[in-house]
Amino acid sequence: MKTIEQSLCMNLSQHLAMTMQLQQAIEILQLSAQDLCATIEKEYLENPVLEMEYSTGRRERYAQDGSVNVRALADYLDGGSKQPAYFTDEDEHQFDAPTPLHATLEEELLEQVNFTFTENESERAVATFLVGSLDSRGYLTLPTAEAARAMGCSEAEVLRILAVIQSFEPAGVGARDLAECLRLQAQRSGIYEGLVAAIIDRHLDAVAAHRLKEIAAAEHVQPADVQMAVDIVRRLNPKPGAAYGAADSTYITPDVIIRKGEKGYEVEVEEAGVPKLHISALYRQSDTFDKKTQKYIASRLRAAAWLINSIEQRRTTIRRVVEEIVRRQPAYFEKGPASLEPMTMKDVADTIGVHESTVSRAVANKYAELPTGVVALRSLFTSRSARTETGEDVAAAQVKSVIESFIKGEDPKKPLSDQKLCTLLKERGIALSRRTVMKYREQLGYDSSVKRKRY
């Protein structure tokens, strides 16, 4: 008979194992498709009973209801002769995905340095040092005097070589401040003259504060002329180095596809790029091993079955959540974001019978491919930001759409203030504070009425 201590240890061990398994299931649920791929590959390397393949087809490793037949696995582990359907003898398939290459700003400039300074090694060394001293915007933040001391040459030599670098692509690179950056671009475009030159040289601070009348008075011109010159200056790039990244681009992989079918919108969990796991049939004769090895194999088989189950549960949960979103938001999929109805995660959770945190994890870091493009699943949830006079809830997206329509239809010479927008919204039956209207306006990317004014 087992002692009390042995029973307690066994119960504690089982409870600990179940807790770890549940934590794994929770972690897998909140993974994006890309992160799930990485997790599967990691588990494949650590668990010898797992085999992995990239395939678009469904395997017979799942039962008819879509779940792993764990009972069959349990019977097998207990000595039964019948093997689970997801045991297979198929060979492994390995694919190496190429990594895209992206030149950094420094690499782009050094290539031009090597092409330009071909005869003088000392000049090339100074140019290389200056390129290495540029920040992510493409600006030289190091004083030229310090660069001269570091390279053991005169400051005049540094300035001469810097002028050559400033002729490189992209236009404006090597500038020491914003004014010089804009000046270099304007000179190269042949527009550095008159009011444009005056704005770049003397009035950038006033432009930032939208004090156009002040600039007009100082330059003895009309505000409309200043407005036109400012529009030209704003077409220049204040950060020429920002277009070059230091790392590879990140690509969004949709986790679900929502497409319109004969019976309405259909939801498909995207699994084409996710590796498929199955348990190797090499371990079907584990009874030929010693007891210690059999025990290890049994533990690995249980871990593999739980992992496969967790992945399938993730797929099922995501499908249920997205199907409920589609059911609740028919107008959104037909007409666009302006028709997004108020919907919280708790609303969806209560309907499908799960906890709100489960819905949160199911949509975390995941994207849906729609006929109109790719959207974040989390963006489909809204708060009830306001109520109409009839007591109907209004979503933030709907309010933003109304605000945007007001701004687009305003007189540019007399733009609508935030208080005026509040009044217009109230006339539509939507009551919001001025501060909330200001927040939504800024989220839409519109400046204040003072900065939107045209002359």
Side-chain angles (χ1 to χ4, degrees):
M1 293 181 63
K2 296 180 180 178
T3 64
I4 295 178
E5 290 79 2
Q6 290 175 328
S7 299
L8 288 174
C9 288
M10 181 178 296
N11 291 336
L12 181 61
S13 176
Q14 291 174 344
H15 176 73
L16 182 60
M18 183 59 67
T19 300
M20 293 177 63
Q21 289 171 341
L22 290 175
Q23 287 178 348
Q24 182 190 52
I26 290 172
E27 290 174 358
I28 287 176
L29 175 60
Q30 63 189 9
L31 293 177
S32 66
Q34 293 171 311
D35 292 337
L36 179 61
C37 290
T39 298
I40 288 175
E41 291 167 356
K42 177 177 178 293
E43 294 293 334
Y44 162 72
L45 293 174
E46 294 180 355
N47 193 335
V49 308
L50 283 173
E51 290 187 350
M52 180 181 71
E53 64 174 305
Y54 289 88
S55 173
T56 56
R58 297 293 303 278
R59 300 189 58 83
E60 295 182 355
R61 63 181 177 275
Y62 299 111
Q64 291 183 354
D65 62 352
S67 61
V68 174
N69 193 340
V70 180
R71 179 174 295 180
L73 175 61
D75 291 341
Y76 175 72
L77 291 173
D78 290 337
S81 59
K82 186 177 179 180
Q83 298 176 8
Y86 47 81
F87 277 64
T88 177
D89 284 316
E90 296 181 17
D91 297 332
E92 298 177 12
H93 299 281
Q94 297 180 351
F95 298 88
D96 295 325
T99 302
L101 300 177
H102 300 275
T104 64
L105 175 64
E106 184 174 3
E107 291 170 342
E108 186 75 19
L109 293 176
L110 287 178
E111 183 176 342
Q112 297 177 68
V113 165
N114 292 332
F115 181 80
T116 304
F117 299 95
T118 56
E119 299 180 358
N120 192 315
E121 288 293 335
S122 61
E123 289 184 347
R124 185 191 303 177
V126 174
T128 301
F129 177 81
L130 291 176
V131 167
S133 301
L134 301 182
D135 63 15
S136 60
R137 302 170 300 169
Y139 287 20
L140 178 66
T141 56
L142 179 71
T144 53
E146 290 187 19
R149 284 196 296 271
M151 297 305 298
C153 62
S154 67
E155 186 175 1
E157 181 74 1
V158 170
L159 290 172
R160 185 180 65 80
I161 295 174
L162 178 61
V164 176
I165 293 175
Q166 290 176 344
S167 68
F168 290 171
E169 293 293 337
V173 72
R176 286 160 287 183
D177 53 40
L178 175 61
E180 186 176 25
C181 178
L182 300 178
R183 187 182 306 116
L184 290 169
Q185 296 176 62
Q187 289 172 340
R188 191 176 300 189
S189 301
I191 60 173
Y192 183 69
E193 58 186 16
L195 196 52
V196 170
I199 287 173
I200 292 175
D201 292 339
R202 298 190 291 272
H203 302 297
L204 288 181
D205 289 339
V207 169
H210 206 75
R211 299 196 301 268
L212 302 191
K213 288 184 177 180
E214 178 182 310
I215 300 174
E219 298 298 329
H220 307 290
V221 296
Q222 296 298 318
D225 297 329
V226 175
Q227 182 84 70
M228 187 178 300
V230 168
D231 290 343
I232 294 173
V233 172
R234 281 178 172 163
R235 294 193 186 103
L236 303 176
N237 187 357
K239 299 178 181 179
Y244 297 81
D248 295 336
S249 300
T250 300
Y251 299 92
I252 294 176
T253 301
D255 298 84
V256 294
I257 299 175
I258 303 175
R259 57 170 62 95
K260 194 170 186 178
E262 296 180 357
K263 299 181 180 179
Y265 284 92
E266 301 172 347
V267 176
E268 176 186 350
V269 179
E270 179 57 41
E271 296 180 317
V274 179
K276 306 296 182 182
L277 287 177
H278 51 268
I279 297 174
S280 173
L282 294 174
Y283 295 91
R284 69 181 66 183
Q285 299 177 356
S286 61
D287 53 346
T288 60
F289 300 108
D290 58 72
K291 294 295 183 182
K292 185 176 181 179
T293 304
Q294 288 182 28
K295 184 178 179 181
Y296 171 76
I297 293 175
S299 67
R300 294 293 83 198
L301 287 172
R302 291 190 178 91
W306 185 271
L307 175 62
I308 295 172
N309 242 343
S310 298
I311 294 172
E312 177 59 22
Q313 186 63 40
R314 171 190 179 274
R315 185 188 69 83
T316 302
T317 303
I318 292 174
R319 177 185 290 277
R320 291 180 63 199
V321 169
V322 177
E323 285 178 344
E324 179 60 20
I325 293 174
V326 171
R327 188 188 71 80
R328 285 174 171 268
Q329 301 286 1
Y332 169 84
F333 295 101
E334 290 292 339
K335 301 177 183 178
S339 301
L340 192 65
E341 296 291 334
M343 178 185 67
T344 65
M345 293 184 185
K346 189 175 187 305
D347 294 334
V348 173
D350 291 344
T351 303
I352 66 176
V354 298
H355 194 271
E356 183 179 352
S357 63
T358 300
V359 175
S360 177
R361 294 186 179 98
V363 301
N365 308 311
K366 299 178 183 66
Y367 294 83
E369 180 183 319
L370 309 180
T372 55
V374 177
V375 299
L377 283 177
R378 191 175 288 274
S379 69
L380 301 179
F381 293 91
T382 66
S383 60
R384 294 173 172 82
S385 63
R387 284 180 177 269
T388 63
E389 293 178 348
T390 60
E392 180 183 359
D393 289 324
V394 182
Q398 292 173 297
V399 176
K400 289 180 183 179
S401 178
V402 176
I403 292 174
E404 187 169 29
S405 67
F406 286 151
I407 295 177
K408 286 183 176 180
E410 70 185 3
D411 181 355
K413 294 183 179 180
K414 296 180 180 179
L416 301 171
S417 66
D418 292 336
Q419 188 58 53
K420 182 61 177 178
L421 289 172
C422 287
T423 303
L424 293 174
L425 285 170
K426 191 172 183 180
E427 292 175 0
R428 291 279 188 97
I430 302 173
L432 286 179
S433 67
R434 188 192 64 81
R435 184 172 183 177
T436 302
V437 170
M438 180 183 69
K439 180 182 71 173
Y440 287 166
R441 171 180 58 73
E442 291 176 345
Q443 289 175 353
L444 288 167
Y446 289 103
D447 290 327
S448 66
S449 59
V450 175
K451 294 185 177 182
R452 295 201 309 274
K453 185 174 181 179
R454 307 290 295 182
Y455 294 91

